[in-house]
Amino acid sequence: MLPYIVLEIRRTLRDGVFMIFGIGMPVLMYLLFTNLGGGGDDASGWKAFSMVGMAAYGALGAAMSIGTGVASDKSLGWLQQLRITPLAPSRVVVGRAISGSVTVLPTILTVLLAGALVNGVRLEVWQWTALTLLLWIGALPFTMLGIGNGYRLTPQATGVVNVACLMGFAIVGGLWFPLSEYPSWLRSIGTYTPAHRFADLGWATTGGHAPSAGTFAVLAGWLLLFGAYAVVSYRRSARTV
Amino acid sequence: MVQARLRTVSVMEKTTGNGPAVVFTGAVKTFGRAERTVRAVDGIDLTVERGETVALLGRNGAGKSTAISLLLGLNEPDSGGVQLLGSAPEQAVRAGRVGAMLQDGRPIPRVTVRELIAFVASTYPSPMPVPESLALAGVSAYADRRIDKLSGGQIQRVRFAVALAGNPELVVLDEPTAALDVEARRAFWGSMRAYARRGNTVLFSTHYLEEADENADRIVVIDHGRIVADGSGDLIKESVGGSHVSFDLAGGPTQGLELLPGVNAVEIRGDRALLRTDDSDATVIELARLGRVRNLRVSPATLEDAFLSLTSPATDSESETV
């Protein structure tokens, strides 16, 4: 499985468009959102809050974009070619999720670096470490969702659906603007989105405390749901070859 | 004969088990649902021995690719069975005993040829050294170029290298030379034969008669999901029998030619009549009696004749109701 992971990471790193938009976009948005318009009285709080939101947004986007890659692999016949190698199907899926996760990491790190170096966000060492790890591991449900879409849909449809999911999650989940700015009905929907709970892992950390049990429970629920979706989609794609 | 025996010995050394490489028993695969179903594979019985090079010959849509997908475990037969090297297809694939080149496989972007082949080799238990499979497939010269930067012919060879990388006992090639020019085709078959000479089994599908005749020990003709002929090219020609008798019309009448003894088809090409006959002697004697022998020529039936008489073009009625 390791050579497969290495191969897929290599392919992603050579994808210039992904590297620029996947990594560049969240950083750019973070710097714009936090440095335009003055930031009001709690500028440093907003800089830390938005740093987590944008890192989560970038991680989410990178995780879901793995699905676009899966869909184009399918259309190239590469998934079928993999199926006639001795590599077991479950390893193919897990390998793809792991290789995807590795490409999620640089997106998180660049936003955090921008927060620390450009915006002067100050956290304890353990907070930086926990933040990175939690956002990295917490992206797994979105990886599953993206991969599930990729196995099920054409490359074009996957791209569109992924972008729609990403924007929807980012807005409703409060990654770009805090949920507290929203009307109460939207706020209560927002708190149950995986994106909000995902970012909450980070906000709890910057706030100096452990994420709540509710956050873990909601995320675990979404992971199960999206994981099942990915497996069902993979079986379906395998059947119709 | 001696060569055949030598080959059998080397096969025995190489493989762990005995018995045939491929066995289809009454395999049926139907696509579609309810009233409109197509029997893509309609009861195939076929045994391929180890060390054989076998061509699956058929028109487009004859069921070749479906048969291959059953063979590789990508699809399951509705009824009947398929055995690969003595086990279920999926097991044989999982054990790394099979390599394949699928029809619609295109190259994945952003990897070099060497990286791809090294990866595929790494998934097999006892692969060929990477430089060896690169050389055998004839891709060494551009091993460090990215696959998405190669030409169609080069990509086809890379896909062959993918099939060989694991050093499998059986290689399955679905329409391996589609879209290759003459020279690339010749080079490809050279590589394929080199691999077969090592005692490996090769099963390839094609709709080019000459390819089947020149590169396979045995030709299996598939039509409408069934096997309609099975044997060497010569055997298939003989089984259909017949020969061609042609002569100059020299302005003579064309009607009544189909009534000549032995004749079963008549074709007029310009000023020349082409008769297909089961009994060329009787046809020629009668023509001589009629005095119509100008530039008369008798030639044996070609494989193309055999193929055309064995198969029928795909029609709408192909979507049989089951």
Side-chain angles (χ1 to χ4, degrees):
Chain A
M1 193 163 73
L2 188 65
Y4 179 54
I5 296 170
V6 171
L7 183 84
E8 291 298 347
I9 290 174
R10 242 183 211 154
R11 290 180 60 201
T12 312
L13 293 181
R14 285 176 190 164
D15 188 347
V17 176
F18 166 76
M19 293 309 281
I20 291 166
F21 287 91
I23 295 177
M25 278 286 279
V27 179
L28 192 67
M29 286 175 72
Y30 171 58
L31 293 176
L32 282 176
F33 279 31
T34 50
N35 291 298
L36 293 179
D41 21 303
D42 188 20
S44 70
W46 167 236
K47 279 175 179 170
F49 180 89
S50 178
M51 176 182 77
V52 172
M54 283 302 164
Y57 165 70
L60 206 154
M64 293 204 58
S65 74
I66 302 158
T68 319
V70 167
S72 69
D73 283 355
K74 184 178 65 180
S75 73
L76 292 173
W78 173 236
L79 291 185
Q80 221 177 20
Q81 188 70 50
L82 280 175
R83 278 193 54 187
I84 49 177
T85 67
L87 209 57
S90 58
R91 287 175 173 234
V92 173
V93 180
V94 173
R96 202 68 168 90
I98 293 176
S99 65
S101 294
V102 173
T103 57
V104 167
L105 194 57
T107 333
I108 299 171
L109 289 177
T110 46
V111 177
L112 297 189
L113 274 175
L117 301 179
V118 181
N119 280 351
V121 175
R122 290 285 166 265
L123 296 172
E124 302 291 327
V125 174
W126 73 264
Q127 281 175 307
W128 287 117
T129 314
L131 195 56
T132 308
L133 289 178
L134 283 172
L135 289 179
W136 190 21
I137 295 163
L140 200 56
F142 305 103
T143 305
M144 288 301 174
L145 176 63
I147 288 181
N149 287 340
Y151 285 133
R152 183 169 292 251
L153 307 170
T154 64
Q156 291 83 354
T158 305
V160 173
V161 170
N162 281 353
V163 168
C165 288
L166 181 61
M167 300 297 249
F169 280 148
I171 295 166
V172 181
L175 302 187
W176 289 353
F177 314 102
L179 281 187
S180 54
E181 309 285 317
Y182 292 174
S184 64
W185 64 271
L186 191 56
R187 201 183 313 155
S188 46
I189 295 175
T191 49
Y192 285 98
T193 58
H196 181 75
R197 297 298 180 152
F198 173 46
D200 191 44
L201 293 174
W203 288 322
T205 308
T206 52
H209 56 88
S212 71
T215 287
F216 283 118
V218 171
L219 272 179
W222 283 107
L223 176 61
L224 278 179
L225 189 73
F226 291 153
Y229 172 68
V231 170
V232 170
S233 298
Y234 179 73
R235 287 207 185 124
R236 228 172 79 132
S237 82
R239 223 188 309 139
T240 50
V241 285
Chain B
M1 242 2 217
V2 174
Q3 231 174 3
R5 194 167 307 143
L6 280 175
R7 197 156 67 179
T8 316
V9 171
S10 69
V11 174
M12 303 281 280
E13 280 168 359
K14 173 162 181 156
T15 57
T16 43
N18 291 318
V22 174
V23 181
F24 281 88
T25 37
V28 173
K29 179 69 192 173
T30 311
F31 288 113
R33 55 180 77 162
E35 328 77 64
R36 288 200 52 90
T37 53
V38 179
R39 288 193 153 219
V41 168
D42 192 7
I44 285 188
D45 289 291
L46 175 67
T47 301
V48 175
E49 298 299 335
R50 291 179 198 228
E52 274 190 299
T53 297
V54 175
L56 283 182
L57 178 64
R59 295 167 193 264
N60 288 328
K64 305 186 294 289
S65 290
T66 308
I68 284 175
S69 76
L70 294 181
L71 181 63
L72 295 173
L74 292 172
N75 269 314
E76 300 234 322
D78 301 332
S79 63
V82 181
Q83 287 247 307
L84 204 54
L85 300 158
S87 56
E90 194 153 3
Q91 264 177 286
V93 168
R94 205 64 70 232
R97 303 174 70 189
V98 189
M101 179 170 163
L102 299 170
Q103 196 180 351
D104 49 4
R106 274 165 291 151
I108 51 166
R110 301 188 298 278
V111 281
T112 68
V113 175
R114 194 189 305 279
E115 284 165 356
L116 177 70
I117 302 306
F119 158 68
V120 174
S122 76
T123 64
Y124 282 80
S126 51
M128 212 181 271
V130 173
E132 194 182 334
S133 50
L134 293 174
L136 196 55
V139 297
S140 307
Y142 41 87
D144 292 312
R145 286 176 58 190
R146 271 163 60 159
I147 299 172
D148 38 334
K149 304 269 155 67
L150 301 179
S151 75
Q154 291 172 325
I155 287 167
Q156 205 79 337
R157 296 243 210 143
V158 170
R159 297 179 50 224
F160 185 50
V162 167
L164 299 183
N167 199 21
E169 296 158 50
L170 168 69
V171 165
V172 180
L173 312 165
D174 195 1
E175 304 264 1
T177 59
L180 286 191
D181 62 30
V182 178
E183 204 170 322
R185 195 168 286 183
R186 187 170 306 138
F188 174 85
W189 288 116
S191 303
M192 194 282 295
R193 279 195 294 264
Y195 187 70
R197 269 198 300 276
R198 300 177 169 201
N200 296 301
T201 314
V202 178
L203 181 74
F204 69 89
S205 75
T206 180
H207 56 262
Y208 297 114
L209 300 148
E210 315 80 52
E211 278 194 357
D213 203 20
E214 285 166 21
N215 300 296
D217 308 330
R218 179 178 157 202
I219 301 174
V220 175
V221 183
I222 295 195
D223 192 44
H224 295 283
R226 291 169 204 246
I227 293 176
V228 292
D230 183 350
S232 68
D234 289 338
L235 207 72
I236 289 175
K237 281 179 238 176
E238 269 171 40
S239 77
V240 171
S243 38
H244 290 290
V245 174
S246 58
F247 62 95
D248 285 349
L249 285 167
T254 54
Q255 67 267 51
L257 290 178
E258 68 276 6
L259 300 174
L260 293 170
V263 172
N264 49 36
V266 176
E267 197 184 323
I268 307 296
R269 282 187 198 161
D271 192 40
R272 213 165 155 76
L274 256 93
L275 312 179
R276 249 182 66 108
T277 171
D278 293 333
D279 186 349
S280 53
D281 290 351
T283 311
V284 169
I285 288 168
E286 185 62 14
L287 281 171
R289 203 182 61 77
L290 296 168
R292 307 190 69 180
V293 290
R294 185 184 293 183
N295 283 327
L296 182 119
R297 221 170 69 209
V298 179
S299 50
T302 61
L303 189 61
E304 189 180 344
D305 296 317
F307 182 70
L308 289 174
S309 80
L310 286 166
T311 63
S312 55
T315 55
D316 284 344
S317 68
E318 203 181 6
S319 25
E320 299 153 34
T321 321
V322 181

